[in-house]
Amino acid sequence: MSIRLHALLILCLSFTLGGCMYPSNHWGDWNDSQLLPTIQKLMKGYNRYLRPNFNEGPVEIGMSLDIASIDAISEINMDYTATIFLRQRWRDSRLVFPGNESVSVDGRLVSLLWIPDTFIPDSKRSFLHDVTVENRLIRIFSNGTVLYALRITATIACNMDLTKYPMDRQVCTLQLESWGYNLQDVVFYWTRGNDSVKGLDTLRLAQYSVETYYTTVSEAVYETGQYPKLVLHFALRRNVLFFILETYVPSILLVVLSWVSFWISQSSVPARTCIGVTTVLTMTTLMMGARTSLPNANCFIKAIDVYLGICFTFIFGALLEYACAHFYTMQHQTIEDFHRDLLKEFNESNGNGSIPVVTSTQPNQSVEIGSSADEPTEQAAHSDTRNSTVSKEEMAGQGCSLSSVKKASRRAASIFTVENPHNIDCHARTAFPAAFLFVNILYWLYYLFL
């Protein structure tokens, strides 16, 4: 009883001081002698443990929001942190008083009134601001309407689909429910529909822009019953320009840098090897840095992972291209050295006997030397005729099975043999840029328009 009397004294003192600070016409027809008995009458017999309209129907509670800021949106934790001004309105017939004015009560006296048990079901962490005092507002109107406002900062879960990251569009929600009062006790509604939410139109975020938002009214069904539920849906579109400058452009430049080796001589082994290895290692570092701000364990492949994988494939392909070109160059050079040595031995010989037939490993290229030293000029003039004659004699002297095996082996060798290894770089200068451009067109069309 002493606690209630103490609270009433504080109320009376506050209103009495308010009457002294404002002119008499501020309160309409009221005067100081009429104000004090009215406040006492409001609080007399008031039970804050019973909701308004007890045993007479549910209480209708209107909601409105002001989004002050969205401080952080985390893809790793899949949540966002927002500061909101939550306003709730309801009518309590026990607080009706004469006149057309409203009375603002100190927020610290909220414990004397009944207030809704509204909560945010998806909230991970939240707190009420208390500088310099708790940021609460209680305003009582003459018809018994109560306005209760709070300033809250909450970290709220948001289930994100990062398949198209960083060209993704996320739809997050802010839900408001009643903890203990079901639909038979409390009914929630938005005071002005979609206009009940303010601040999203002018909100400025680092990586996102707010596309659309809308409000809905639904029900939350639990084992204990059905509860009122209000939902704010808002869509966030990620600004891709930052990622283009930070990730896409460097990766494209690395791919172009790997193509520089196509214009360097194949004999410059250290230069071409250095370019290939450097671009591969740099691309690996770029791929690791792009994943630092994303969840490590997920079951989907993001758009940025696909693009970085494409760039890494082209860079690694450029390195393999030089390895193949160098291999065939060395093979071609070995065959030419062998032919040169063979001709040198033939020129140095006295012409006695014939040099055995030597067949090149390259397709459609063979060197057959079967004449004596007395006819070197005739051999040069009729080399094609002798080659065909020697081939026919060899085919006649060997079995059919051996000849067929030789033909098959020569055809197989011709597939993996390059007549001019320098043409590999010439073809790569055109094939790699064309293929990279084609893949880029498909990539951007798929992730931007599909």
Side-chain angles (χ1 to χ4, degrees):
M1 192 64 182
S2 59
I3 297 176
R4 174 164 295 204
L5 289 176
H6 181 68
L8 289 175
L9 287 175
I10 294 176
L11 278 174
C12 295
L13 181 61
S14 63
F15 288 120
T16 303
L17 292 176
C20 296
M21 294 174 63
Y22 295 99
S24 59
N25 59 1
H26 176 74
W27 300 102
D29 297 334
W30 287 7
N31 54 35
D32 295 342
S33 61
Q34 293 175 334
L35 182 61
L36 184 59
T38 301
I39 297 299
Q40 292 178 347
K41 183 180 179 181
L42 286 177
M43 302 306 300
K44 184 178 180 180
Y46 185 90
N47 189 351
R48 66 186 179 93
Y49 299 107
L50 296 178
R51 65 173 178 86
N53 300 336
F54 187 73
N55 291 331
E56 296 180 3
V59 182
E60 295 183 356
I61 302 176
M63 302 275 188
S64 63
L65 290 174
D66 275 5
I67 308 295
S69 65
I70 296 181
D71 304 321
I73 301 176
S74 175
E75 290 82 9
I76 297 179
N77 300 320
M78 290 196 177
D79 57 27
Y80 67 94
T81 302
T83 299
I84 61 175
F85 297 151
L86 174 61
R87 299 183 180 92
Q88 305 175 78
R89 295 173 182 266
W90 68 93
R91 189 175 183 277
D92 193 342
S93 58
R94 296 172 295 181
L95 299 177
V96 176
F97 60 89
N100 296 321
E101 299 293 337
S102 61
V103 178
S104 295
V105 183
D106 193 299
R108 287 169 290 188
L109 301 179
V110 68
S111 59
L112 298 178
L113 302 176
W114 179 89
I115 57 174
D117 55 350
T118 307
F119 78 108
I120 303 174
D122 292 337
S123 175
K124 296 181 179 180
R125 295 173 300 276
S126 60
F127 63 91
L128 176 67
H129 291 263
D130 55 358
V131 178
T132 58
V133 293
E134 289 187 350
N135 296 170
R136 295 183 178 184
L137 181 145
I138 291 287
R139 183 171 295 168
I140 304 174
F141 295 85
S142 58
N143 62 351
T145 300
V146 181
L147 171 62
Y148 180 45
L150 297 170
R151 183 187 176 206
I152 304 172
T153 295
T155 300
I156 304 170
C158 178
N159 189 17
M160 300 181 183
D161 183 8
L162 300 177
T163 305
K164 291 188 176 182
Y165 176 91
M167 292 164 284
D168 55 333
R169 178 179 179 270
Q170 305 298 338
V171 177
C172 297
T173 60
L174 174 60
Q175 304 180 27
L176 300 172
E177 296 182 11
S178 176
W179 175 256
Y181 294 104
N182 54 27
L183 289 175
Q184 285 72 34
D185 298 322
V186 170
V187 174
F188 286 173
Y189 68 95
W190 294 105
T191 55
R192 296 180 300 276
N194 291 339
D195 294 334
S196 303
V197 179
K198 302 293 183 181
L200 284 177
D201 296 332
T202 59
L203 201 62
R204 295 294 179 268
L205 303 176
Q207 292 188 15
Y208 290 90
S209 58
V210 181
E211 280 192 334
T212 58
Y213 65 91
Y214 62 95
T215 58
T216 58
V217 180
S218 60
E219 301 176 0
V221 180
Y222 298 102
E223 184 180 357
T224 55
Q226 297 178 344
Y227 298 87
K229 179 179 181 180
L230 298 181
V231 184
L232 166 64
H233 307 260
F234 56 96
L236 300 173
R237 170 72 67 177
R238 194 185 303 272
N239 300 324
V240 72
L241 180 61
F242 169 78
F243 296 92
I244 289 177
L245 297 177
E246 185 186 34
T247 304
Y248 284 93
V249 171
S251 59
I252 293 174
L253 294 178
L254 284 175
V255 174
V256 174
L257 180 61
S258 66
W259 298 340
V260 175
S261 62
F262 300 154
W263 279 266
I264 300 177
S265 174
Q266 294 184 1
S267 60
S268 302
V269 178
R272 298 193 63 166
T273 305
C274 181
I275 291 178
V277 174
T278 302
T279 51
V280 167
L281 295 178
T282 307
M283 193 65 203
T284 304
T285 304
L286 188 63
M287 294 174 65
M288 294 176 62
R291 295 185 58 87
T292 54
S293 60
L294 297 175
N296 294 327
N298 48 60
C299 57
F300 44 79
I301 300 176
K302 296 169 286 295
I304 195 170
D305 295 334
V306 174
Y307 194 81
L308 293 177
I310 291 172
C311 294
F312 185 84
T313 302
F314 274 90
I315 292 174
F316 192 73
L319 182 61
L320 292 181
E321 184 273 343
Y322 175 64
C324 296
H326 184 70
F327 172 77
Y328 286 118
T329 301
M330 297 301 295
Q331 185 184 45
H332 187 72
Q333 185 177 1
T334 302
I335 294 173
E336 289 181 350
D337 293 341
F338 179 74
H339 292 169
R340 191 179 300 110
D341 294 340
L342 188 60
L343 291 175
K344 184 178 180 180
E345 291 180 2
F346 173 76
N347 293 330
E348 291 177 356
S349 63
N350 294 326
N352 296 328
S354 61
I355 305 299
V357 176
V358 179
T359 303
S360 173
T361 57
Q362 295 190 8
N364 302 326
Q365 181 179 357
S366 60
V367 179
E368 289 90 2
I369 304 174
S371 64
S372 62
D374 295 333
E375 299 175 343
T377 57
E378 287 185 18
Q379 177 190 3
H382 305 283
S383 59
D384 294 338
T385 305
R386 290 195 188 95
N387 290 340
S388 60
T389 304
V390 173
S391 300
K392 291 180 180 180
E393 292 177 356
E394 290 179 354
M395 293 290 292
Q398 296 177 354
C400 296
S401 60
L402 183 60
S403 62
S404 61
V405 171
K406 284 186 177 182
K407 287 182 180 180
S409 62
R410 288 179 182 178
R411 291 195 189 99
S414 64
I415 298 176
F416 302 99
T417 305
V418 179
E419 294 184 5
N420 189 0
H422 295 282
N423 290 335
I424 298 178
D425 285 342
C426 296
H427 295 316
R429 294 169 190 172
T430 305
F432 273 75
F436 188 68
L437 179 61
F438 177 73
V439 172
N440 269 270
I441 293 174
L442 294 180
Y443 174 86
W444 292 105
L445 287 177
Y446 177 80
Y447 283 104
L448 287 180
F449 301 104
L450 297 181

